[in-house]
Amino acid sequence: MTVIKKARAHHPRDIVIRPAVRADAKVLAQLVHELHAEQNAHTVKFSQATAKRDVLADGAPVQALIAELDGSVVAFAFFIPAYDSARGAAGLSITDFYVTNAGRAKSVGHPMLAGCAAFARQQNARFLWWTSKAWDVVAHDLYRKLGVTEEPVMAHHLSGEKFNTLANEGAAFLR
């Protein structure tokens, strides 16, 4: 009989969660590609240059946290500002959240989300908002254990030529 030991969840002090810095551009690009490969996204244009421009530059529109475990980066989260008029409060929207298989094996997801909440609070945010794919039941289980409120939503995305067409139309209305 083969005995399989469950991986020991690391104590939170073993996990370092910190803002990403320019030296993290390569690992961020790698992890973004891993995330989208798991989600069967066929075209991913995120690169080290994109990370340096959109995430890691002073005044970049996106902020990032990474989690390190035993010296290796095992998770990341990207944030943008959010506002909820129903709550009358500013918050952060997590646009991407990913934990590697190695991080999942060591239960890094919960501490990473806790770090995201602490980071948001440091910025005077009063909530976090994020979405997940309907099929990602493992993530849903983690989120439910945190006590999230689930709200059915339908996400909409407009890009490429259709975005440009609408933007060209809208330009006539901007003053």
Side-chain angles (χ1 to χ4, degrees), residues 15-165:
I15 301 165
V16 175
I17 298 172
R18 62 173 176 79
V21 296
R22 287 188 71 78
D24 296 318
K26 182 176 181 178
V27 72
L28 281 174
Q30 176 188 340
L31 293 177
V32 165
H33 283 265
E34 286 180 24
L35 164 67
H36 292 291
E38 282 188 13
Q39 296 182 352
N40 294 316
H42 301 292
T43 304
V44 179
K45 296 181 180 181
F46 193 86
S47 65
Q48 290 182 54
T50 308
K52 289 176 183 176
R53 180 191 70 213
D54 294 343
V55 182
L56 303 170
D58 289 339
V62 179
Q63 297 177 70
L65 288 181
I66 61 172
E68 293 178 329
L69 183 63
D70 300 329
S72 296
V73 176
V74 294
F76 81 95
F78 287 165
F79 302 91
I80 58 173
Y83 187 80
D84 186 336
S85 58
R87 290 178 179 86
L92 290 179
S93 177
I94 300 173
T95 61
D96 287 298
F97 182 83
Y98 179 67
V99 180
T100 65
N101 287 332
R104 291 176 200 153
K106 300 295 185 175
S107 303
V108 171
H110 183 119
M112 182 61 174
L113 283 168
C116 291
F119 177 77
R121 188 174 58 197
Q122 284 178 347
Q123 298 192 19
N124 298 316
R126 293 185 34 213
F127 67 88
L128 285 174
W129 171 265
W130 69 92
T131 60
S132 61
K133 304 289 186 181
W135 53 261
D136 196 350
V137 296
V138 172
H140 301 165
D141 289 343
L142 169 61
Y143 304 154
R144 287 179 186 124
K145 288 176 186 172
L146 296 174
V148 299
T149 300
E150 292 181 337
E151 300 178 19
V153 298
M154 181 176 288
H156 303 276
H157 179 83
L158 186 65
S159 63
E161 190 55 40
K162 292 178 182 179
F163 169 80
N164 288 327
T165 298

